Amino acid sequence: MNGPVIHLEVAPDLHLFVPHAHRAGPAELGTDGVSSLGHVVESLGIPLTEAGTLTVDGREVPRSHVPADGESVRVGPVARPQRVPGAPLRFLLDVHLGTLARRMRLLGVDTAYESTDIGDPALAARSAAERRVLLSRDRGLLRRRELWAGAYVYSTRPEQQLRDVLERFAPELAPWSRCTACNGPLRPATKSQVADRLQAGTRDTYDVFAACGECGRAYWKGAHHEQLEAIVAEAVRFRAGLAPTVAGAVSSWCRPR
């Protein structure tokens, strides 16, 4: 390529996206002289959802900047906590993040989830239509132009995925307030109101229930309650250490039916 040559440095947090040649420090990169810096960054393999401040010779520039010959460019990571303008903070998770979706709903975070693969165009379109932050490990999906907002999920382990979301977006938490199956709101319910959804042993053993206002599932403190309590307690402690506002928890529920 006979176009301008820039000196590009990529922040360590973004090294997993780029070839090894760009991980050791500033490296020369040929450009075509017409493409924007955002396009150059994306062509290296970095989703723009993960690119934060872009600087040229020490000054911040927009993604539309066209690099000139000899410029020193640095690509920084997204600042944390990341502020998402506009709509209330809501999320959309792809088919591979079911466990993370259930844990986010357990914490009361508005989390839509597709349990079947509806395809990248449909996911990106839903993100835009509902103004939800799309979480995915699919780099190609995060590069779709119609996407409203998105973020790469760096870990394959649900507990680390959850901590990453809490650290990056610092959402307000309202544990036990959402249905883990459909994301609908949970409301207190009497035993008689949910009796048709309970087995005989549950009706005889438990007295405190909640029900989803959308799908109707019943919840109570069942056998896995302590395990879920531990997940919630850890998440609330972690979130509280990031920012001062954590919504008060409502009564806890465990077992859906």
Side-chain angles (χ1 to χ4, degrees):
M1 182 177 292
N2 297 320
V5 175
I6 63 175
H7 305 280
L8 181 71
E9 180 181 4
V10 177
D13 289 353
L14 303 175
H15 281 180
L16 78 160
F17 298 113
V18 300
H20 285 279
H22 293 285
R23 297 180 184 181
E28 289 190 350
L29 179 69
T31 66
D32 59 12
V34 295
S35 295
S36 68
L37 186 52
H39 178 80
V40 172
V41 168
E42 211 169 35
S43 68
L44 284 171
I46 303 173
L48 289 182
T49 60
E50 306 311 297
T53 301
L54 305 177
T55 59
V56 171
D57 295 333
R59 72 182 190 281
E60 185 174 347
V61 298
R63 294 175 178 177
S64 59
H65 173 82
V66 178
D69 189 58
E71 287 185 336
S72 294
V73 176
R74 186 180 189 278
V75 184
V78 174
R80 298 189 176 210
Q82 181 179 351
R83 300 304 178 190
V84 180
L89 187 57
R90 302 187 296 177
F91 295 90
L92 170 63
L93 277 60
D94 71 15
V95 67
H96 304 291
L97 298 175
T99 300
L100 176 60
R102 288 188 292 273
R103 293 189 179 193
M104 290 174 66
R105 290 171 175 175
L106 181 66
L107 295 171
V109 179
D110 190 339
T111 305
Y113 165 67
E114 293 291 347
S115 60
T116 58
D117 189 355
I118 64 174
D120 290 1
L123 278 172
R126 183 175 181 184
S127 166
E130 300 180 11
R131 298 176 73 83
R132 291 181 178 272
V133 180
L134 178 61
L135 303 183
S136 177
R137 287 181 51 79
D138 184 340
R139 304 178 193 184
L141 173 56
L142 295 175
R143 294 178 64 175
R144 297 196 67 89
R145 292 292 179 249
E146 64 270 38
L147 190 67
W148 179 68
Y152 183 74
V153 176
Y154 287 79
S155 176
T156 59
R157 299 177 58 185
E159 61 273 16
Q160 293 180 350
Q161 292 173 346
L162 182 59
R163 288 172 69 94
D164 188 39
V165 171
L166 296 179
E167 181 183 27
R168 179 163 178 170
F169 294 100
E172 293 190 7
L173 306 184
W176 315 104
S177 64
R178 288 187 179 273
C179 175
T180 56
C182 79
N183 196 45
L186 293 185
R187 302 186 179 94
T190 65
K191 184 182 294 189
S192 61
Q193 289 173 324
V194 297
D196 61 335
R197 282 155 270 177
L198 307 177
Q199 295 182 355
T202 301
R203 288 196 300 270
D204 295 339
T205 305
Y206 299 96
D207 296 305
V208 181
F209 297 90
C212 176
E214 293 187 6
C215 73
R217 286 175 179 256
Y219 287 81
W220 62 95
K221 295 181 181 180
H224 301 295
H225 177 68
E226 290 186 2
Q227 179 182 352
L228 297 182
E229 282 276 18
I231 293 172
V232 169
E234 169 61 23
V236 169
R237 283 194 299 269
F238 182 76
R239 171 65 176 82
L242 301 174
T245 304
V246 178
V250 299
S251 298
S252 59
W253 311 107
C254 178
R255 176 89 173 179
R257 181 69 67 198

